[in-house]
Amino acid sequence: MEFLLQPLTLVTFFPLLGVFVIAFINAEKKDAIRWTALITALATLLISFWAFAQFDKTNPNLQLEAKYAWIRVADWNIYYYLAVDGLSILLVLLTTLLSAISILSAWSAVQERVKEFMIFFLLLEVGMTGVFLAQDLFLFYIFWEFTLVPMYFIIGIWGGPRRIYSALKFFLYTMAGSILMLLAIIYLGVQAQNTFNVPELLARLPQLYASGQISPTAQMLLFVAFALSFAIKVPMWPLHSWLPDAHVEAPTAGSVILAGVLLKMGTYGFLRFNIPLFPNATIQAAPWMALLATIGILYGAAVSYAQADIKKLVAYSSVSHLGFVMLGLFALNAEGVSGAILQMVNHGLSTGALFLLIGMVYEQTHTRQFSDYGGLWKAMPIFAVMMLIAVFSSMGLPGLNGFVGEFTILLGAFGSKAIASPWYAGFSTLGVILAAVYLLYLFQKMFLGPDGKVITEHKLKDLNWREIVTMIPLVVFIFWIGLYPKPFFDILAPAVEKLLSALPL
């Protein structure tokens, strides 16, 4: 019983209770299924708040630990080990918040096979939360791979016309990258006397590096094996080609959770595993990672502007925005890393809001082509205001959340000893300008100018109460982080300082 009542165990596996209940509800009772899924997601959100209430933001160490011996074969010790610190607590809260919002957004958008959709979505929440909490590499890998299955079905069953192609591409890309990570995990476990426990690995690895048992070349190969898996998930240029297809074909709720949480699993992997486990390789690779991040920032922004499909524009913008996150992480200083973690949250809020709003208007118009839009400001004023806030947030307008994250990242990148060149940050600032170009282009095409085909051919309705309620939490956090980010940086600071103190810079 003690195991089940652990806060982190509860927040991770509580959605399974909803899955169990939904499994026994008649598939024809769609509203009952929707309400069960929503109540489950909201209860999970409340449990995450309960866990956060017990979290000590001044403590840089792992907290609320749930650690039990799980698998013992010969000399191997694999633990069920969940814990949270300042590096992960905000991402757990983001996951539970966006999961509830996504389920609410699917209320009218998903009409077929509602039972299966809600089951897969709650299973996906289990996997995502587990990724951010697992402190044993074997357990982490299980959660990491588990998320592929429900997302594959969400895209493949409820997606657009090319859903099968997109789902397969998403699955195969991520699975291929994960194979190398699995080999690296096994190698690490063998070298560290048969343990996958991350805190124990961090204690033993310095001696293994110093003695030469793990050579500098081996450390770099381990770094690359983990990095490839995480870079595909981010996705970093040039490993990003699966993302636009997955976003365009996924249902709205799938796009929101894909952009808001699943992509952050990649950046979090670098933060939690690459940087602390392979410190010397991290420092050696930092300029190269900064180069790839800068290329991604500029490439993603330039390609976004060229899109004729609204959803594809926002999809490519994620390549650019997450390039900023990677630049901040490999600045390897407090400003850059803190800004990167906060920007993970910011991107989840702003891009999640954009995908929600695009989905809301798509339900009425059934088109995402810019050429079909125009003049929506007069027809849907509440929708227009919400979209304007999301656009300004995504482009980094001062006073909103995106500005805080990007400014802090650029500040860290300019003064980074690891990157050792201000040019990366200098070129990356062009990405901020280009973001304003493609996002204002999006807003102009949709809301200003003469009435488009969607107005002349459809009797458009403004946002209803459910859609407004769906957007309000995102808008609140967009303004809160933008106007008063101190509480969020206070949560991050001790854990970030501890992470960086172990690097030989």
Side-chain angles (χ1 to χ4, degrees):
M1 185 59 70
E2 178 190 356
F3 165 78
L4 293 176
L5 294 178
Q6 289 274 359
L8 301 187
T9 297
L10 207 53
V11 76
T12 302
F13 293 105
F14 189 82
L16 291 180
L17 179 60
V19 171
F20 180 78
V21 174
I22 290 171
F24 289 94
I25 299 176
N26 189 315
E28 299 302 316
K29 297 182 178 179
K30 296 180 180 180
D31 282 341
I33 293 168
R34 293 183 181 110
W35 278 108
T36 303
L38 179 60
I39 291 169
T40 302
L42 290 173
T44 307
L45 176 61
L46 291 176
I47 294 168
S48 70
F49 288 157
W50 174 52
F52 180 68
Q54 301 177 60
F55 179 79
D56 179 5
K57 68 179 182 180
T58 64
N59 183 356
N61 300 313
L62 294 172
Q63 302 178 46
L64 306 179
E65 292 176 298
K67 184 178 179 182
Y68 301 93
W70 181 30
I71 301 173
R72 287 188 175 176
V73 180
D75 295 327
W76 290 91
N77 289 312
I78 299 171
Y79 288 90
Y80 169 85
Y81 189 7
L82 303 181
V84 70
D85 62 5
L87 303 180
S88 56
I89 187 66
L90 293 181
L91 295 173
V92 173
L93 294 170
L94 178 69
T95 300
T96 56
L97 175 65
L98 287 182
S99 294
I101 287 173
S102 298
I103 288 172
L104 186 58
S105 75
W107 210 265
S108 59
V110 176
Q111 294 293 337
E112 301 297 325
R113 305 180 72 173
V114 175
K115 180 175 181 175
E116 291 89 340
F117 180 87
M118 294 303 176
I119 286 175
F120 282 128
F121 214 92
L122 291 174
L123 290 174
L124 180 61
E125 184 176 7
V126 171
M128 294 184 301
T129 307
V131 164
F132 295 128
L133 294 176
Q135 298 299 326
D136 185 282
L137 284 175
F138 188 83
L139 180 63
F140 166 80
Y141 188 80
I142 289 174
F143 281 125
W144 176 270
E145 293 294 271
F146 179 76
T147 59
L148 295 181
V149 178
M151 195 65 204
Y152 169 80
F153 285 110
I154 287 170
I155 298 173
I157 297 175
W158 294 275
R162 298 174 71 241
R163 58 187 180 273
I164 302 299
Y165 166 79
S166 300
L168 277 171
K169 193 174 182 181
F170 159 76
F171 192 94
L172 293 176
Y173 259 70
T174 311
M175 177 65 79
S178 300
I179 296 301
L180 286 177
M181 181 170 67
L182 177 60
L183 295 175
I185 288 171
I186 295 171
Y187 179 84
L188 268 180
V190 171
Q191 295 300 316
Q193 300 174 353
N194 302 338
T195 183
F196 298 106
N197 183 316
V198 175
E200 288 184 23
L201 283 171
L202 290 174
R204 295 178 185 180
L205 282 174
Q207 177 60 34
L208 296 176
Y209 294 146
S211 67
Q213 186 173 336
I214 298 180
S215 67
T217 301
Q219 184 182 164
M220 179 57 74
L221 290 174
L222 290 168
F223 175 93
V224 170
F226 274 79
L228 184 62
S229 180
F230 298 144
I232 290 172
K233 184 74 85 175
V234 171
M236 292 185 72
W237 180 91
L239 303 171
H240 63 281
S241 65
W242 65 268
L243 180 66
D245 290 315
H247 266 314
V248 168
E249 299 304 322
T252 297
S255 290
V256 171
I257 214 70
L258 179 60
V261 181
L262 282 172
L263 304 189
K264 310 309 178 302
M265 287 165 45
T267 51
Y268 172 78
F270 281 104
L271 178 71
R272 174 64 71 192
F273 301 112
N274 276 73
I275 293 175
L277 292 178
F278 318 115
N280 294 307
T282 295
I283 293 169
Q284 285 181 272
W288 296 102
M289 299 299 290
L291 176 62
L292 292 176
T294 303
I295 293 173
I297 289 169
L298 299 177
Y299 170 85
V303 176
S304 292
Y305 182 72
Q307 300 308 309
D309 184 298
I310 302 168
K311 206 173 182 185
K312 190 169 279 191
L313 181 150
V314 179
Y316 274 109
S317 77
S318 291
V319 178
S320 182
H321 286 130
L322 288 164
F324 279 104
V325 173
M326 294 303 300
L327 181 66
L329 288 178
F330 282 90
L332 299 178
N333 54 29
E335 299 88 352
V337 174
S338 296
I341 300 171
L342 188 62
Q343 192 64 6
M344 293 184 211
V345 177
N346 291 338
H347 179 264
L349 297 171
S350 59
T351 305
L354 287 171
F355 277 123
L356 281 172
L357 291 164
I358 293 168
M360 289 171 187
V361 75
Y362 180 79
E363 280 189 55
Q364 298 189 56
T365 63
H366 302 290
T367 178
R368 292 190 299 263
Q369 299 301 308
F370 280 115
S371 57
D372 295 330
Y373 284 88
L376 284 185
W377 185 277
K378 292 176 291 183
M380 306 174 71
I382 299 174
F383 174 77
V385 170
M386 292 290 187
M387 181 64 89
L388 189 61
I389 293 170
V391 162
F392 282 159
S393 167
S394 188
M395 64 186 267
L397 185 76
L400 300 179
N401 61 336
F403 174 78
V404 177
E406 288 180 356
F407 175 79
T408 314
I409 287 168
L410 291 172
L411 192 66
F414 268 114
S416 171
K417 293 180 181 178
I419 296 176
S421 172
W423 286 104
Y424 297 115
F427 280 114
S428 296
T429 56
L430 296 175
V432 179
I433 299 169
L434 292 173
V437 172
Y438 67 73
L439 286 165
L440 290 177
Y441 169 78
L442 177 153
F443 191 83
Q444 177 196 356
K445 286 290 187 180
M446 289 184 69
F447 294 93
L448 307 179
D451 291 351
K453 187 171 72 172
V454 296
I455 292 182
T456 59
E457 295 183 0
H458 301 273
K459 189 176 181 180
L460 297 179
K461 298 177 182 178
D462 212 342
L463 301 187
N464 57 39
W465 69 268
R466 176 184 57 80
E467 293 167 332
I468 293 172
V469 168
T470 303
M471 291 299 302
I472 284 175
L474 301 180
V475 172
V476 168
F477 280 106
I478 284 171
F479 279 101
W480 183 2
I481 297 174
L483 296 173
Y484 187 51
K486 183 179 180 298
F488 300 90
F489 283 122
D490 287 345
I491 292 168
L492 302 173
V496 169
E497 183 179 347
K498 179 184 177 183
L499 173 74
L500 296 175
S501 66
L503 295 178
L505 277 171

